[in-house]
mmCIF file of all heavy atoms in Angstrom:
data_model
loop_
_atom_site.group_PDB
_atom_site.id
_atom_site.type_symbol
_atom_site.label_atom_id
_atom_site.label_comp_id
_atom_site.label_asym_id
_atom_site.label_seq_id
_atom_site.Cartn_x
_atom_site.Cartn_y
_atom_site.Cartn_z
ATOM 1 N N GLU A 1 114.302 89.780 105.715
ATOM 2 C CA GLU A 1 114.171 91.107 105.181
ATOM 3 C C GLU A 1 114.977 92.103 106.040
ATOM 4 O O GLU A 1 114.923 91.981 107.253
ATOM 5 C CB GLU A 1 112.714 91.566 105.120
ATOM 6 C CG GLU A 1 111.883 90.668 104.195
ATOM 7 C CD GLU A 1 110.376 90.966 104.294
ATOM 8 O OE1 GLU A 1 109.981 91.757 105.222
ATOM 9 O OE2 GLU A 1 109.631 90.460 103.447
ATOM 10 N N LEU A 2 115.567 93.062 105.352
ATOM 11 C CA LEU A 2 116.200 94.183 106.034
ATOM 12 C C LEU A 2 115.375 95.422 105.640
ATOM 13 O O LEU A 2 115.297 95.735 104.449
ATOM 14 C CB LEU A 2 117.673 94.376 105.579
ATOM 15 C CG LEU A 2 118.608 93.230 105.889
ATOM 16 C CD1 LEU A 2 119.990 93.430 105.256
ATOM 17 C CD2 LEU A 2 118.773 93.080 107.390
ATOM 18 N N ARG A 3 114.817 96.063 106.622
ATOM 19 C CA ARG A 3 113.979 97.226 106.333
ATOM 20 C C ARG A 3 114.749 98.528 106.500
ATOM 21 O O ARG A 3 115.593 98.653 107.373
ATOM 22 C CB ARG A 3 112.756 97.224 107.295
ATOM 23 C CG ARG A 3 111.827 96.077 106.959
ATOM 24 C CD ARG A 3 110.496 96.249 107.587
ATOM 25 N NE ARG A 3 109.587 95.147 107.177
ATOM 26 C CZ ARG A 3 108.620 95.326 106.351
ATOM 27 N NH1 ARG A 3 108.332 96.478 105.878
ATOM 28 N NH2 ARG A 3 107.904 94.276 106.004
ATOM 29 N N ASP A 4 114.470 99.467 105.572
ATOM 30 C CA ASP A 4 115.153 100.759 105.569
ATOM 31 C C ASP A 4 114.580 101.671 106.661
ATOM 32 O O ASP A 4 113.321 101.746 106.818
ATOM 33 C CB ASP A 4 114.971 101.452 104.221
ATOM 34 C CG ASP A 4 115.844 102.650 104.076
ATOM 35 O OD1 ASP A 4 117.026 102.633 104.510
ATOM 36 O OD2 ASP A 4 115.334 103.652 103.512
ATOM 37 N N ALA A 5 115.443 102.293 107.454
ATOM 38 C CA ALA A 5 114.982 103.231 108.496
ATOM 39 C C ALA A 5 114.541 104.545 107.914
ATOM 40 O O ALA A 5 113.721 105.242 108.495
ATOM 41 C CB ALA A 5 116.090 103.432 109.513
ATOM 42 N N ALA A 6 115.025 104.908 106.760
ATOM 43 C CA ALA A 6 114.758 106.242 106.208
ATOM 44 C C ALA A 6 113.380 106.293 105.471
ATOM 45 O O ALA A 6 112.687 107.218 105.605
ATOM 46 C CB ALA A 6 115.814 106.693 105.207
ATOM 47 N N ILE A 7 113.080 105.221 104.739
ATOM 48 C CA ILE A 7 111.792 105.211 103.990
ATOM 49 C C ILE A 7 110.971 104.012 104.470
ATOM 50 O O ILE A 7 111.345 102.869 104.219
ATOM 51 C CB ILE A 7 112.059 105.074 102.501
ATOM 52 C CG1 ILE A 7 112.894 106.229 101.978
ATOM 53 C CG2 ILE A 7 110.721 104.914 101.705
ATOM 54 C CD1 ILE A 7 113.307 106.058 100.560
ATOM 55 N N PRO A 8 109.900 104.258 105.194
ATOM 56 C CA PRO A 8 109.001 103.165 105.674
ATOM 57 C C PRO A 8 108.487 102.319 104.456
ATOM 58 O O PRO A 8 107.942 102.985 103.542
ATOM 59 C CB PRO A 8 107.924 103.815 106.428
ATOM 60 C CG PRO A 8 108.407 105.170 106.707
ATOM 61 C CD PRO A 8 109.370 105.529 105.624
ATOM 62 N N GLY A 9 108.648 101.071 104.526
ATOM 63 C CA GLY A 9 108.136 100.229 103.399
ATOM 64 C C GLY A 9 109.193 99.772 102.450
ATOM 65 O O GLY A 9 109.011 98.734 101.771
ATOM 66 N N PHE A 10 110.318 100.436 102.364
ATOM 67 C CA PHE A 10 111.415 100.041 101.497
ATOM 68 C C PHE A 10 112.279 99.001 102.186
ATOM 69 O O PHE A 10 112.668 99.118 103.346
ATOM 70 C CB PHE A 10 112.298 101.277 101.184
ATOM 71 C CG PHE A 10 113.449 100.974 100.273
ATOM 72 C CD1 PHE A 10 113.311 100.268 99.043
ATOM 73 C CD2 PHE A 10 114.738 101.425 100.637
ATOM 74 C CE1 PHE A 10 114.357 100.045 98.266
ATOM 75 C CE2 PHE A 10 115.809 101.149 99.790
ATOM 76 C CZ PHE A 10 115.645 100.462 98.630
ATOM 77 N N LEU A 11 112.480 97.878 101.484
ATOM 78 C CA LEU A 11 113.198 96.777 102.158
ATOM 79 C C LEU A 11 113.985 95.971 101.143
ATOM 80 O O LEU A 11 113.842 96.104 99.952
ATOM 81 C CB LEU A 11 112.238 95.885 102.866
ATOM 82 C CG LEU A 11 111.116 95.187 102.044
ATOM 83 C CD1 LEU A 11 111.484 93.766 101.716
ATOM 84 C CD2 LEU A 11 109.826 95.203 102.877
ATOM 85 N N LEU A 12 114.931 95.174 101.714
ATOM 86 C CA LEU A 12 115.725 94.281 100.921
ATOM 87 C C LEU A 12 115.421 92.829 101.421
ATOM 88 O O LEU A 12 115.507 92.549 102.610
ATOM 89 C CB LEU A 12 117.220 94.550 101.118
ATOM 90 C CG LEU A 12 118.159 93.565 100.435
ATOM 91 C CD1 LEU A 12 118.233 93.828 98.966
ATOM 92 C CD2 LEU A 12 119.557 93.617 101.095
ATOM 93 N N LYS A 13 115.102 91.918 100.492
ATOM 94 C CA LYS A 13 114.822 90.568 100.858
ATOM 95 C C LYS A 13 116.066 89.733 100.441
ATOM 96 O O LYS A 13 116.508 89.816 99.275
ATOM 97 C CB LYS A 13 113.567 90.053 100.150
ATOM 98 C CG LYS A 13 113.285 88.576 100.497
ATOM 99 C CD LYS A 13 112.026 88.137 99.745
ATOM 100 C CE LYS A 13 111.695 86.700 100.169
ATOM 101 N NZ LYS A 13 110.397 86.287 99.537
ATOM 102 N N VAL A 14 116.580 88.966 101.379
ATOM 103 C CA VAL A 14 117.730 88.083 101.055
ATOM 104 C C VAL A 14 117.224 86.651 101.103
ATOM 105 O O VAL A 14 116.700 86.197 102.143
ATOM 106 C CB VAL A 14 118.874 88.328 102.066
ATOM 107 C CG1 VAL A 14 120.058 87.469 101.724
ATOM 108 C CG2 VAL A 14 119.250 89.789 102.148
ATOM 109 N N THR A 15 117.408 85.933 100.042
ATOM 110 C CA THR A 15 116.932 84.548 99.968
ATOM 111 C C THR A 15 118.043 83.559 100.387
ATOM 112 O O THR A 15 119.203 83.924 100.352
ATOM 113 C CB THR A 15 116.426 84.179 98.504
ATOM 114 O OG1 THR A 15 117.570 84.219 97.649
ATOM 115 C CG2 THR A 15 115.405 85.169 98.059
ATOM 116 N N PRO A 16 117.716 82.345 100.694
ATOM 117 C CA PRO A 16 118.719 81.339 101.006
ATOM 118 C C PRO A 16 119.744 81.116 99.884
ATOM 119 O O PRO A 16 120.871 80.723 100.117
ATOM 120 C CB PRO A 16 117.937 80.056 101.332
ATOM 121 C CG PRO A 16 116.589 80.558 101.702
ATOM 122 C CD PRO A 16 116.360 81.795 100.917
ATOM 123 N N ALA A 17 119.341 81.364 98.633
ATOM 124 C CA ALA A 17 120.248 81.157 97.521
ATOM 125 C C ALA A 17 121.190 82.356 97.377
ATOM 126 O O ALA A 17 122.092 82.316 96.470
ATOM 127 C CB ALA A 17 119.460 80.989 96.252
ATOM 128 N N GLY A 18 120.945 83.436 98.139
ATOM 129 C CA GLY A 18 121.845 84.574 98.058
ATOM 130 C C GLY A 18 121.319 85.689 97.193
ATOM 131 O O GLY A 18 122.016 86.724 97.038
ATOM 132 N N ARG A 19 120.125 85.532 96.700
ATOM 133 C CA ARG A 19 119.563 86.602 95.809
ATOM 134 C C ARG A 19 119.106 87.737 96.742
ATOM 135 O O ARG A 19 118.527 87.482 97.745
ATOM 136 C CB ARG A 19 118.388 86.026 95.041
ATOM 137 C CG ARG A 19 117.694 87.088 94.144
ATOM 138 C CD ARG A 19 116.659 86.482 93.310
ATOM 139 N NE ARG A 19 117.250 85.743 92.224
ATOM 140 C CZ ARG A 19 116.688 84.943 91.425
ATOM 141 N NH1 ARG A 19 115.381 84.670 91.579
ATOM 142 N NH2 ARG A 19 117.322 84.323 90.443
ATOM 143 N N LYS A 20 119.392 88.919 96.290
ATOM 144 C CA LYS A 20 119.029 90.085 97.052
ATOM 145 C C LYS A 20 118.076 90.947 96.197
ATOM 146 O O LYS A 20 118.456 91.465 95.117
ATOM 147 C CB LYS A 20 120.266 90.949 97.465
ATOM 148 C CG LYS A 20 121.221 90.140 98.306
ATOM 149 C CD LYS A 20 122.530 90.815 98.523
ATOM 150 C CE LYS A 20 123.461 89.915 99.321
ATOM 151 N NZ LYS A 20 124.766 90.504 99.497
ATOM 152 N N VAL A 21 116.857 91.106 96.661
ATOM 153 C CA VAL A 21 115.789 91.798 95.925
ATOM 154 C C VAL A 21 115.284 92.939 96.686
ATOM 155 O O VAL A 21 114.905 92.834 97.862
ATOM 156 C CB VAL A 21 114.631 90.807 95.585
ATOM 157 C CG1 VAL A 21 113.596 91.471 94.778
ATOM 158 C CG2 VAL A 21 115.170 89.570 94.900
ATOM 159 N N PHE A 22 115.240 94.104 96.049
ATOM 160 C CA PHE A 22 114.588 95.271 96.656
ATOM 161 C C PHE A 22 113.106 95.160 96.516
ATOM 162 O O PHE A 22 112.585 94.846 95.405
ATOM 163 C CB PHE A 22 115.112 96.573 96.000
ATOM 164 C CG PHE A 22 116.577 96.810 96.224
ATOM 165 C CD1 PHE A 22 117.490 96.704 95.157
ATOM 166 C CD2 PHE A 22 117.038 97.249 97.467
ATOM 167 C CE1 PHE A 22 118.836 96.942 95.332
ATOM 168 C CE2 PHE A 22 118.352 97.478 97.655
ATOM 169 C CZ PHE A 22 119.257 97.338 96.583
ATOM 170 N N MET A 23 112.367 95.520 97.543
ATOM 171 C CA MET A 23 110.916 95.463 97.533
ATOM 172 C C MET A 23 110.350 96.707 98.240
ATOM 173 O O MET A 23 111.090 97.408 98.942
ATOM 174 C CB MET A 23 110.458 94.178 98.263
ATOM 175 C CG MET A 23 110.977 92.952 97.650
ATOM 176 S SD MET A 23 110.515 91.468 98.571
ATOM 177 C CE MET A 23 109.051 91.032 97.668
ATOM 178 N N VAL A 24 109.071 96.914 98.074
ATOM 179 C CA VAL A 24 108.396 97.975 98.749
ATOM 180 C C VAL A 24 107.141 97.407 99.326
ATOM 181 O O VAL A 24 106.350 96.705 98.582
ATOM 182 C CB VAL A 24 108.148 99.254 97.902
ATOM 183 C CG1 VAL A 24 107.292 98.965 96.717
ATOM 184 C CG2 VAL A 24 107.597 100.397 98.740
ATOM 185 N N ALA A 25 106.831 97.595 100.579
ATOM 186 C CA ALA A 25 105.624 97.049 101.262
ATOM 187 C C ALA A 25 104.687 98.201 101.518
ATOM 188 O O ALA A 25 105.083 99.232 101.979
ATOM 189 C CB ALA A 25 106.013 96.347 102.562
ATOM 190 N N TYR A 26 103.375 97.996 101.178
ATOM 191 C CA TYR A 26 102.394 99.004 101.451
ATOM 192 C C TYR A 26 101.056 98.343 101.554
ATOM 193 O O TYR A 26 100.862 97.164 101.132
ATOM 194 C CB TYR A 26 102.397 100.025 100.315
ATOM 195 C CG TYR A 26 102.043 99.529 98.920
ATOM 196 C CD1 TYR A 26 100.703 99.500 98.529
ATOM 197 C CD2 TYR A 26 102.975 99.055 98.099
ATOM 198 C CE1 TYR A 26 100.350 99.021 97.283
ATOM 199 C CE2 TYR A 26 102.662 98.548 96.807
ATOM 200 C CZ TYR A 26 101.376 98.585 96.478
ATOM 201 O OH TYR A 26 100.965 98.119 95.217
ATOM 202 N N ALA A 27 100.103 99.126 102.036
ATOM 203 C CA ALA A 27 98.675 98.631 102.064
ATOM 204 C C ALA A 27 97.956 99.388 101.001
ATOM 205 O O ALA A 27 97.951 100.613 100.957
ATOM 206 C CB ALA A 27 98.071 98.954 103.449
ATOM 207 N N ALA A 28 97.312 98.667 100.073
ATOM 208 C CA ALA A 28 96.578 99.293 98.997
ATOM 209 C C ALA A 28 95.248 99.983 99.542
ATOM 210 O O ALA A 28 94.958 99.803 100.740
ATOM 211 C CB ALA A 28 96.163 98.230 97.940
ATOM 212 N N ASN A 29 94.568 100.685 98.675
ATOM 213 C CA ASN A 29 93.419 101.400 99.102
ATOM 214 C C ASN A 29 92.284 100.503 99.656
ATOM 215 O O ASN A 29 91.529 100.878 100.484
ATOM 216 C CB ASN A 29 92.831 102.249 97.980
ATOM 217 C CG ASN A 29 93.745 103.418 97.605
ATOM 218 O OD1 ASN A 29 94.664 103.742 98.379
ATOM 219 N ND2 ASN A 29 93.593 103.901 96.377
ATOM 220 N N ASN A 30 92.298 99.255 99.181
ATOM 221 C CA ASN A 30 91.267 98.331 99.699
ATOM 222 C C ASN A 30 91.769 97.604 100.996
ATOM 223 O O ASN A 30 91.077 96.780 101.461
ATOM 224 C CB ASN A 30 90.927 97.283 98.612
ATOM 225 C CG ASN A 30 92.137 96.442 98.215
ATOM 226 O OD1 ASN A 30 93.249 96.576 98.766
ATOM 227 N ND2 ASN A 30 91.915 95.567 97.239
ATOM 228 N N GLY A 31 92.933 97.994 101.527
ATOM 229 C CA GLY A 31 93.439 97.434 102.780
ATOM 230 C C GLY A 31 94.275 96.201 102.580
ATOM 231 O O GLY A 31 94.898 95.713 103.520
ATOM 232 N N GLN A 32 94.389 95.693 101.359
ATOM 233 C CA GLN A 32 95.185 94.546 101.112
ATOM 234 C C GLN A 32 96.678 94.831 101.110
ATOM 235 O O GLN A 32 97.076 95.852 100.472
ATOM 236 C CB GLN A 32 94.775 93.916 99.735
ATOM 237 C CG GLN A 32 95.354 92.542 99.520
ATOM 238 C CD GLN A 32 94.798 91.964 98.222
ATOM 239 O OE1 GLN A 32 94.263 92.645 97.386
ATOM 240 N NE2 GLN A 32 94.894 90.635 98.088
ATOM 241 N N ARG A 33 97.460 94.080 101.744
ATOM 242 C CA ARG A 33 98.913 94.322 101.829
ATOM 243 C C ARG A 33 99.639 93.826 100.601
ATOM 244 O O ARG A 33 99.306 92.689 100.160
ATOM 245 C CB ARG A 33 99.468 93.682 103.053
ATOM 246 C CG ARG A 33 98.939 94.302 104.333
ATOM 247 C CD ARG A 33 99.850 93.994 105.492
ATOM 248 N NE ARG A 33 99.416 94.662 106.702
ATOM 249 C CZ ARG A 33 99.716 95.953 106.988
ATOM 250 N NH1 ARG A 33 100.460 96.650 106.228
ATOM 251 N NH2 ARG A 33 99.267 96.444 108.108
ATOM 252 N N ARG A 34 100.511 94.631 100.069
ATOM 253 C CA ARG A 34 101.231 94.219 98.867
ATOM 254 C C ARG A 34 102.741 94.414 99.122
ATOM 255 O O ARG A 34 103.104 95.242 99.912
ATOM 256 C CB ARG A 34 100.852 95.099 97.720
ATOM 257 C CG ARG A 34 99.390 95.048 97.373
ATOM 258 C CD ARG A 34 99.127 95.037 95.910
ATOM 259 N NE ARG A 34 97.724 94.843 95.628
ATOM 260 C CZ ARG A 34 97.175 93.668 95.422
ATOM 261 N NH1 ARG A 34 97.888 92.580 95.525
ATOM 262 N NH2 ARG A 34 95.912 93.565 95.138
ATOM 263 N N LYS A 35 103.517 93.607 98.438
ATOM 264 C CA LYS A 35 104.960 93.699 98.546
ATOM 265 C C LYS A 35 105.565 93.404 97.229
ATOM 266 O O LYS A 35 106.277 92.377 97.018
ATOM 267 C CB LYS A 35 105.443 92.730 99.643
ATOM 268 C CG LYS A 35 106.752 93.137 100.254
ATOM 269 C CD LYS A 35 107.283 92.078 101.201
ATOM 270 C CE LYS A 35 106.451 91.980 102.499
ATOM 271 N NZ LYS A 35 107.008 91.067 103.472
ATOM 272 N N PRO A 36 105.459 94.283 96.208
ATOM 273 C CA PRO A 36 106.041 94.045 94.897
ATOM 274 C C PRO A 36 107.570 94.218 94.899
ATOM 275 O O PRO A 36 108.096 95.021 95.609
ATOM 276 C CB PRO A 36 105.338 95.079 93.986
ATOM 277 C CG PRO A 36 105.019 96.208 94.900
ATOM 278 C CD PRO A 36 104.682 95.550 96.238
ATOM 279 N N ALA A 37 108.222 93.479 94.034
ATOM 280 C CA ALA A 37 109.654 93.605 93.843
ATOM 281 C C ALA A 37 109.950 94.815 92.968
ATOM 282 O O ALA A 37 109.275 95.091 92.040
ATOM 283 C CB ALA A 37 110.182 92.309 93.224
#
């Protein structure tokens, strides 16, 4: 993952196959961590 310095939680995931997917990481209100594409 490459994380954005400007927006905390915004990131790019690079897979071994070369796929590049934008994601956002956050903690939900119940404390559970999520990382939807």
